[in-house]
Amino acid sequence: MGATASGPDARANVTMDAAERIATDAKADAAVDTVEGIAADMKALSHPSRRQFCIAGGAAIVLAGTAALGQMTHQQADAVYVRPPGAESEASLLAKCDRCERCVQACPYDLVQPRPLSFDIPTVGTPEIVYKAGFCDFCMECVRVCPTGALSWDAPTVSDIGTAKVIKDACVAWAWEGCRVCVDVCPVEGALTLDERGRPQVNETLCNGCGLCELECPAPSLRAYDAAAAEKGIYVVSRESAAAAQPGALTTEQFETGRFVRAEGGLR
Amino acid sequence: MNRMRYLRIGIAAAILVAVFACAIAHVSIGTLCALCPVGFAEIVVASGSLPWELLPGVVAVLAVVFLLGRVFCSWVCPTSLLKNVFGGKTPRGLTGRSGSCAGCGLGADPNEGRIRNSLAAQGIVLVVLLVVSFIVHFPVFCLLCPIGLVFGTLFAVSRMFVTWQPGWELIVFPAILVLELFVLRRWCSAICPLGFFFGLAAKARSRVGFLPGVRVRAASCKHAEGCDVCTATCPENICAATATARDMEDCTLCFDCREHCPSSAITMKPDFATSKAKRSVDCSDDRDH
């Protein structure tokens, strides 16, 4: 609290000030809502003071810096992720998504998750599919609630979010025969079959990336832990990824190096 | 004491809790980002398409600001929540915070020396970020927006419960938030591009004049006797007694002044006579120098 000064002088000043203020206000009042009033506002907007300019300039430099850094890491990473149905392409999703997380909230199976902060900075918070708690039954809740058009009904991915890839050195059936869990759970007729040696093989044109095989794969519980091999014997990857571009089953190394990397000449 | 502050903390926190609960209950209300005018503008320039479904929410928020004033800033924004919980506004509050007021003193008009919200600075930030978004093809500000970072942290926690893998954002997001809110203290008043839209809505609102807002009963106000309680409590350092229409544009209707006014001189009633006398167009004489 201020108000340390007192005495008749100060009080007289107050009255003077008040009188002046009322007079100026009354004068100014006449100009209210006139063109000059609005023009004055616009003038104040277009001629900021030096201090305002410094603040805004500083903030703008930081913004531009973040954007440049983001753009750089994004190009460098050139990554692809398994996105929810309706994502047209990485570029279109990134341009339209404002990370409102409505799709994340809408997904009844906790599949759609915000991307964590990674080297690919601009993708943080955008939706990706994580088959940890469920699989996609294409209920389309995420597409229905998306307010920005980042997930749209027109995109080819509304019925196809990726393709499953068998990992040779992690799949139990590749080592010993007998395991057919993924083939049994696969909801798409003919997408997963057993070859003549009892190993699962993916028909990549039929597979829609629902992820039930990845979710149910029992490899982690059937094998001893091996840091060199992938955890599960089958994973869903983006169709634009380098992993998807290689035919047939993959080694753990092929899978891990190509999972989130865009295939040569892939769609941007 | 500070009933209004606790009420504001309660409401803003309730919104965060509701959003988090909806993530668990699978109700897609979305975060505040689904109502964001800046996000809307960024998506338009970054993608070259109009996100029609965002429009109703954006218009609704601007309409609320037009009708009620910048209530979003003090009652809804998670940024204010953090500031209300941890402090961090320079001259603020009778209790706990600094409690001093720069321009106070008998015979002085605190509004003269007040640091005002700078629509110009916010406007420059907005323009730059739209240009940058256009160039890099993604909404840039979403990476830095304190509101987005608060929700980002929240959703990183909810993601952790599904994947059991904590991400770096759990550390990085709060760190950026601290930088923005407690180091760059002028964030809300001079940088926040959302504030530019709200500032415009508030400007339009002050031209209408009779909409409800903080007003002072001249008969009971003790400003002339040296009382500056409203200025000391106001987060924007507005002296309600001498505030012009331009000063009231910065008011976020937090009601701290109303709560602390020793003579209960502050009302919310639309008072045509007072508002008429108080209206002025001193916006050209921007005293934020």
Side-chain angles (χ1 to χ4, degrees), chain A residues 59-93:
Chain A
I61 289 168
V62 171
L63 272 171
T66 313
L69 179 73
Q71 179 76 339
M72 207 183 72
T73 59
H74 186 58
Q75 277 170 357
Q76 192 106 45
D78 199 15
V80 286
Y81 310 97
V82 181
R83 298 293 198 176
E88 209 168 290
S89 64
E90 280 292 318
S92 126
L93 182 100

mmCIF file of all heavy atoms in Angstrom, chain A residues 59-93:
data_model
loop_
_atom_site.group_PDB
_atom_site.id
_atom_site.type_symbol
_atom_site.label_atom_id
_atom_site.label_comp_id
_atom_site.label_asym_id
_atom_site.label_seq_id
_atom_site.Cartn_x
_atom_site.Cartn_y
_atom_site.Cartn_z
ATOM 1 N N ALA A 59 10.613 -12.507 -28.828
ATOM 2 C CA ALA A 59 9.709 -13.657 -28.867
ATOM 3 C C ALA A 59 9.661 -14.247 -30.271
ATOM 4 O O ALA A 59 9.660 -15.467 -30.449
ATOM 5 C CB ALA A 59 8.316 -13.248 -28.414
ATOM 6 N N ALA A 60 9.651 -13.357 -31.263
ATOM 7 C CA ALA A 60 9.570 -13.813 -32.649
ATOM 8 C C ALA A 60 10.813 -14.597 -33.038
ATOM 9 O O ALA A 60 10.729 -15.621 -33.723
ATOM 10 C CB ALA A 60 9.382 -12.618 -33.581
ATOM 11 N N ILE A 61 11.982 -14.125 -32.554
ATOM 12 C CA ILE A 61 13.229 -14.834 -32.870
ATOM 13 C C ILE A 61 13.188 -16.239 -32.267
ATOM 14 O O ILE A 61 13.541 -17.231 -32.915
ATOM 15 C CB ILE A 61 14.452 -14.042 -32.352
ATOM 16 C CG1 ILE A 61 14.642 -12.787 -33.206
ATOM 17 C CG2 ILE A 61 15.713 -14.901 -32.383
ATOM 18 C CD1 ILE A 61 15.609 -11.789 -32.629
ATOM 19 N N VAL A 62 12.700 -16.319 -31.007
ATOM 20 C CA VAL A 62 12.597 -17.629 -30.351
ATOM 21 C C VAL A 62 11.656 -18.539 -31.136
ATOM 22 O O VAL A 62 11.947 -19.714 -31.376
ATOM 23 C CB VAL A 62 12.117 -17.468 -28.896
ATOM 24 C CG1 VAL A 62 11.808 -18.821 -28.281
ATOM 25 C CG2 VAL A 62 13.168 -16.744 -28.072
ATOM 26 N N LEU A 63 10.522 -17.961 -31.569
ATOM 27 C CA LEU A 63 9.544 -18.735 -32.347
ATOM 28 C C LEU A 63 10.175 -19.270 -33.623
ATOM 29 O O LEU A 63 10.066 -20.454 -33.944
ATOM 30 C CB LEU A 63 8.372 -17.838 -32.740
ATOM 31 C CG LEU A 63 7.228 -17.732 -31.770
ATOM 32 C CD1 LEU A 63 6.286 -16.641 -32.221
ATOM 33 C CD2 LEU A 63 6.505 -19.056 -31.716
ATOM 34 N N ALA A 64 10.818 -18.356 -34.340
ATOM 35 C CA ALA A 64 11.433 -18.742 -35.607
ATOM 36 C C ALA A 64 12.514 -19.788 -35.356
ATOM 37 O O ALA A 64 12.657 -20.753 -36.113
ATOM 38 C CB ALA A 64 12.010 -17.513 -36.303
ATOM 39 N N GLY A 65 13.263 -19.598 -34.262
ATOM 40 C CA GLY A 65 14.319 -20.551 -33.912
ATOM 41 C C GLY A 65 13.752 -21.934 -33.649
ATOM 42 O O GLY A 65 14.266 -22.936 -34.145
ATOM 43 N N THR A 66 12.666 -21.970 -32.871
ATOM 44 C CA THR A 66 12.019 -23.252 -32.580
ATOM 45 C C THR A 66 11.549 -23.913 -33.859
ATOM 46 O O THR A 66 11.725 -25.119 -34.058
ATOM 47 C CB THR A 66 10.798 -23.039 -31.673
ATOM 48 O OG1 THR A 66 11.169 -22.187 -30.619
ATOM 49 C CG2 THR A 66 10.289 -24.354 -31.136
ATOM 50 N N ALA A 67 10.932 -23.082 -34.715
ATOM 51 C CA ALA A 67 10.417 -23.627 -35.967
ATOM 52 C C ALA A 67 11.547 -24.189 -36.807
ATOM 53 O O ALA A 67 11.452 -25.293 -37.345
ATOM 54 C CB ALA A 67 9.678 -22.540 -36.736
ATOM 55 N N ALA A 68 12.667 -23.439 -36.880
ATOM 56 C CA ALA A 68 13.801 -23.882 -37.689
ATOM 57 C C ALA A 68 14.362 -25.186 -37.121
ATOM 58 O O ALA A 68 14.611 -26.140 -37.856
ATOM 59 C CB ALA A 68 14.880 -22.799 -37.721
ATOM 60 N N LEU A 69 14.530 -25.204 -35.789
ATOM 61 C CA LEU A 69 15.045 -26.410 -35.131
ATOM 62 C C LEU A 69 14.104 -27.585 -35.387
ATOM 63 O O LEU A 69 14.533 -28.687 -35.738
ATOM 64 C CB LEU A 69 15.172 -26.147 -33.625
ATOM 65 C CG LEU A 69 15.680 -27.308 -32.788
ATOM 66 C CD1 LEU A 69 17.167 -27.509 -33.044
ATOM 67 C CD2 LEU A 69 15.442 -27.054 -31.298
ATOM 68 N N GLY A 70 12.791 -27.310 -35.216
ATOM 69 C CA GLY A 70 11.797 -28.357 -35.427
ATOM 70 C C GLY A 70 11.845 -28.883 -36.843
ATOM 71 O O GLY A 70 11.880 -30.092 -37.078
ATOM 72 N N GLN A 71 11.879 -27.939 -37.792
ATOM 73 C CA GLN A 71 11.898 -28.304 -39.203
ATOM 74 C C GLN A 71 13.122 -29.146 -39.522
ATOM 75 O O GLN A 71 13.057 -30.156 -40.212
ATOM 76 C CB GLN A 71 11.871 -27.024 -40.051
ATOM 77 C CG GLN A 71 11.910 -27.267 -41.536
ATOM 78 C CD GLN A 71 10.552 -27.729 -42.043
ATOM 79 O OE1 GLN A 71 9.723 -28.216 -41.292
ATOM 80 N NE2 GLN A 71 10.318 -27.586 -43.325
ATOM 81 N N MET A 72 14.281 -28.704 -38.941
ATOM 82 C CA MET A 72 15.531 -29.402 -39.186
ATOM 83 C C MET A 72 15.460 -30.841 -38.664
ATOM 84 O O MET A 72 15.742 -31.790 -39.386
ATOM 85 C CB MET A 72 16.650 -28.657 -38.466
ATOM 86 C CG MET A 72 18.008 -28.816 -39.073
ATOM 87 S SD MET A 72 19.198 -27.938 -38.056
ATOM 88 C CE MET A 72 19.271 -28.990 -36.610
ATOM 89 N N THR A 73 15.021 -30.977 -37.396
ATOM 90 C CA THR A 73 14.965 -32.321 -36.813
ATOM 91 C C THR A 73 13.950 -33.172 -37.559
ATOM 92 O O THR A 73 14.152 -34.365 -37.747
ATOM 93 C CB THR A 73 14.584 -32.273 -35.333
ATOM 94 O OG1 THR A 73 13.308 -31.650 -35.209
ATOM 95 C CG2 THR A 73 15.597 -31.512 -34.517
ATOM 96 N N HIS A 74 12.862 -32.528 -38.012
ATOM 97 C CA HIS A 74 11.816 -33.273 -38.697
ATOM 98 C C HIS A 74 12.327 -33.825 -40.021
ATOM 99 O O HIS A 74 12.081 -34.976 -40.374
ATOM 100 C CB HIS A 74 10.606 -32.377 -38.920
ATOM 101 C CG HIS A 74 9.430 -33.093 -39.498
ATOM 102 N ND1 HIS A 74 8.857 -34.185 -38.883
ATOM 103 C CD2 HIS A 74 8.728 -32.891 -40.631
ATOM 104 C CE1 HIS A 74 7.847 -34.622 -39.624
ATOM 105 N NE2 HIS A 74 7.759 -33.857 -40.693
ATOM 106 N N GLN A 75 13.060 -32.969 -40.751
ATOM 107 C CA GLN A 75 13.609 -33.426 -42.034
ATOM 108 C C GLN A 75 14.663 -34.496 -41.836
ATOM 109 O O GLN A 75 14.731 -35.475 -42.554
ATOM 110 C CB GLN A 75 14.190 -32.233 -42.808
ATOM 111 C CG GLN A 75 13.111 -31.490 -43.577
ATOM 112 C CD GLN A 75 13.602 -30.191 -44.138
ATOM 113 O OE1 GLN A 75 14.744 -29.794 -43.927
ATOM 114 N NE2 GLN A 75 12.742 -29.510 -44.865
ATOM 115 N N GLN A 76 15.499 -34.246 -40.812
ATOM 116 C CA GLN A 76 16.567 -35.187 -40.499
ATOM 117 C C GLN A 76 15.986 -36.561 -40.150
ATOM 118 O O GLN A 76 16.422 -37.583 -40.651
ATOM 119 C CB GLN A 76 17.356 -34.668 -39.303
ATOM 120 C CG GLN A 76 18.642 -35.405 -39.065
ATOM 121 C CD GLN A 76 19.826 -34.555 -39.482
ATOM 122 O OE1 GLN A 76 19.883 -33.377 -39.170
ATOM 123 N NE2 GLN A 76 20.750 -35.139 -40.201
ATOM 124 N N ALA A 77 14.957 -36.539 -39.270
ATOM 125 C CA ALA A 77 14.367 -37.799 -38.822
ATOM 126 C C ALA A 77 13.663 -38.489 -39.977
ATOM 127 O O ALA A 77 13.726 -39.698 -40.119
ATOM 128 C CB ALA A 77 13.395 -37.542 -37.685
ATOM 129 N N ASP A 78 12.988 -37.688 -40.826
ATOM 130 C CA ASP A 78 12.225 -38.197 -41.950
ATOM 131 C C ASP A 78 11.477 -39.470 -41.540
ATOM 132 O O ASP A 78 11.577 -40.519 -42.166
ATOM 133 C CB ASP A 78 13.141 -38.479 -43.140
ATOM 134 C CG ASP A 78 12.336 -38.551 -44.434
ATOM 135 O OD1 ASP A 78 11.173 -38.103 -44.405
ATOM 136 O OD2 ASP A 78 12.856 -39.053 -45.445
ATOM 137 N N ALA A 79 10.746 -39.324 -40.439
ATOM 138 C CA ALA A 79 10.181 -40.513 -39.810
ATOM 139 C C ALA A 79 8.724 -40.735 -40.204
ATOM 140 O O ALA A 79 8.041 -39.830 -40.655
ATOM 141 C CB ALA A 79 10.286 -40.371 -38.297
ATOM 142 N N VAL A 80 8.284 -41.964 -40.051
ATOM 143 C CA VAL A 80 6.882 -42.301 -40.232
ATOM 144 C C VAL A 80 6.429 -43.106 -39.012
ATOM 145 O O VAL A 80 7.210 -43.846 -38.436
ATOM 146 C CB VAL A 80 6.637 -43.133 -41.511
ATOM 147 C CG1 VAL A 80 6.741 -42.258 -42.739
ATOM 148 C CG2 VAL A 80 7.596 -44.293 -41.591
ATOM 149 N N TYR A 81 5.202 -42.896 -38.627
ATOM 150 C CA TYR A 81 4.679 -43.604 -37.461
ATOM 151 C C TYR A 81 3.356 -44.241 -37.850
ATOM 152 O O TYR A 81 2.753 -43.863 -38.851
ATOM 153 C CB TYR A 81 4.463 -42.622 -36.306
ATOM 154 C CG TYR A 81 5.661 -41.755 -36.046
ATOM 155 C CD1 TYR A 81 5.737 -40.474 -36.582
ATOM 156 C CD2 TYR A 81 6.733 -42.224 -35.305
ATOM 157 C CE1 TYR A 81 6.853 -39.684 -36.377
ATOM 158 C CE2 TYR A 81 7.854 -41.444 -35.094
ATOM 159 C CZ TYR A 81 7.906 -40.169 -35.629
ATOM 160 O OH TYR A 81 9.019 -39.408 -35.435
ATOM 161 N N VAL A 82 2.910 -45.197 -37.043
ATOM 162 C CA VAL A 82 1.570 -45.748 -37.274
ATOM 163 C C VAL A 82 0.597 -44.708 -36.729
ATOM 164 O O VAL A 82 0.599 -44.414 -35.539
ATOM 165 C CB VAL A 82 1.386 -47.103 -36.571
ATOM 166 C CG1 VAL A 82 -0.011 -47.643 -36.858
ATOM 167 C CG2 VAL A 82 2.433 -48.098 -37.052
ATOM 168 N N ARG A 83 -0.178 -44.118 -37.624
ATOM 169 C CA ARG A 83 -1.090 -43.046 -37.249
ATOM 170 C C ARG A 83 -2.511 -43.584 -37.167
ATOM 171 O O ARG A 83 -2.826 -44.612 -37.774
ATOM 172 C CB ARG A 83 -1.021 -41.922 -38.283
ATOM 173 C CG ARG A 83 0.346 -41.270 -38.403
ATOM 174 C CD ARG A 83 0.719 -40.510 -37.160
ATOM 175 N NE ARG A 83 1.804 -39.560 -37.407
ATOM 176 C CZ ARG A 83 2.264 -38.715 -36.490
ATOM 177 N NH1 ARG A 83 1.727 -38.696 -35.276
ATOM 178 N NH2 ARG A 83 3.241 -37.891 -36.763
ATOM 179 N N PRO A 84 -3.397 -42.866 -36.465
ATOM 180 C CA PRO A 84 -4.791 -43.313 -36.415
ATOM 181 C C PRO A 84 -5.415 -43.319 -37.812
ATOM 182 O O PRO A 84 -4.898 -42.677 -38.716
ATOM 183 C CB PRO A 84 -5.471 -42.256 -35.533
ATOM 184 C CG PRO A 84 -4.387 -41.558 -34.818
ATOM 185 C CD PRO A 84 -3.172 -41.664 -35.671
ATOM 186 N N PRO A 85 -6.518 -44.037 -37.996
ATOM 187 C CA PRO A 85 -7.188 -44.038 -39.294
ATOM 188 C C PRO A 85 -7.507 -42.612 -39.733
ATOM 189 O O PRO A 85 -7.805 -41.762 -38.905
ATOM 190 C CB PRO A 85 -8.490 -44.799 -39.030
ATOM 191 C CG PRO A 85 -8.281 -45.543 -37.767
ATOM 192 C CD PRO A 85 -7.236 -44.832 -36.996
ATOM 193 N N GLY A 86 -7.427 -42.374 -41.026
ATOM 194 C CA GLY A 86 -7.830 -41.065 -41.538
ATOM 195 C C GLY A 86 -6.707 -40.063 -41.660
ATOM 196 O O GLY A 86 -6.933 -38.946 -42.112
ATOM 197 N N ALA A 87 -5.474 -40.445 -41.256
ATOM 198 C CA ALA A 87 -4.345 -39.542 -41.442
ATOM 199 C C ALA A 87 -3.879 -39.656 -42.878
ATOM 200 O O ALA A 87 -3.459 -40.723 -43.312
ATOM 201 C CB ALA A 87 -3.214 -39.894 -40.479
ATOM 202 N N GLU A 88 -3.966 -38.566 -43.628
ATOM 203 C CA GLU A 88 -3.695 -38.636 -45.058
ATOM 204 C C GLU A 88 -2.230 -38.942 -45.334
ATOM 205 O O GLU A 88 -1.898 -39.812 -46.108
ATOM 206 C CB GLU A 88 -4.076 -37.298 -45.691
ATOM 207 C CG GLU A 88 -4.512 -37.428 -47.128
ATOM 208 C CD GLU A 88 -5.131 -36.135 -47.570
ATOM 209 O OE1 GLU A 88 -6.238 -35.799 -47.109
ATOM 210 O OE2 GLU A 88 -4.473 -35.438 -48.353
ATOM 211 N N SER A 89 -1.351 -38.164 -44.689
ATOM 212 C CA SER A 89 0.085 -38.394 -44.799
ATOM 213 C C SER A 89 0.707 -37.743 -43.581
ATOM 214 O O SER A 89 0.052 -36.989 -42.870
ATOM 215 C CB SER A 89 0.641 -37.754 -46.068
ATOM 216 O OG SER A 89 0.496 -36.354 -45.993
ATOM 217 N N GLU A 90 1.984 -38.032 -43.333
ATOM 218 C CA GLU A 90 2.673 -37.406 -42.206
ATOM 219 C C GLU A 90 2.579 -35.882 -42.312
ATOM 220 O O GLU A 90 2.280 -35.194 -41.352
ATOM 221 C CB GLU A 90 4.144 -37.825 -42.200
ATOM 222 C CG GLU A 90 4.394 -39.192 -41.608
ATOM 223 C CD GLU A 90 4.121 -39.247 -40.115
ATOM 224 O OE1 GLU A 90 4.494 -38.297 -39.402
ATOM 225 O OE2 GLU A 90 3.517 -40.221 -39.657
ATOM 226 N N ALA A 91 2.841 -35.369 -43.513
ATOM 227 C CA ALA A 91 2.885 -33.923 -43.711
ATOM 228 C C ALA A 91 1.528 -33.290 -43.443
ATOM 229 O O ALA A 91 1.429 -32.254 -42.762
ATOM 230 C CB ALA A 91 3.346 -33.600 -45.122
ATOM 231 N N SER A 92 0.466 -33.915 -43.947
ATOM 232 C CA SER A 92 -0.856 -33.318 -43.779
ATOM 233 C C SER A 92 -1.303 -33.400 -42.325
ATOM 234 O O SER A 92 -1.905 -32.472 -41.790
ATOM 235 C CB SER A 92 -1.846 -33.996 -44.733
ATOM 236 O OG SER A 92 -2.951 -34.483 -44.041
ATOM 237 N N LEU A 93 -0.990 -34.509 -41.657
ATOM 238 C CA LEU A 93 -1.352 -34.628 -40.243
ATOM 239 C C LEU A 93 -0.638 -33.561 -39.421
ATOM 240 O O LEU A 93 -1.238 -32.894 -38.577
ATOM 241 C CB LEU A 93 -0.993 -36.016 -39.719
ATOM 242 C CG LEU A 93 -1.385 -36.214 -38.255
ATOM 243 C CD1 LEU A 93 -2.687 -36.981 -38.141
ATOM 244 C CD2 LEU A 93 -0.313 -36.898 -37.463
#
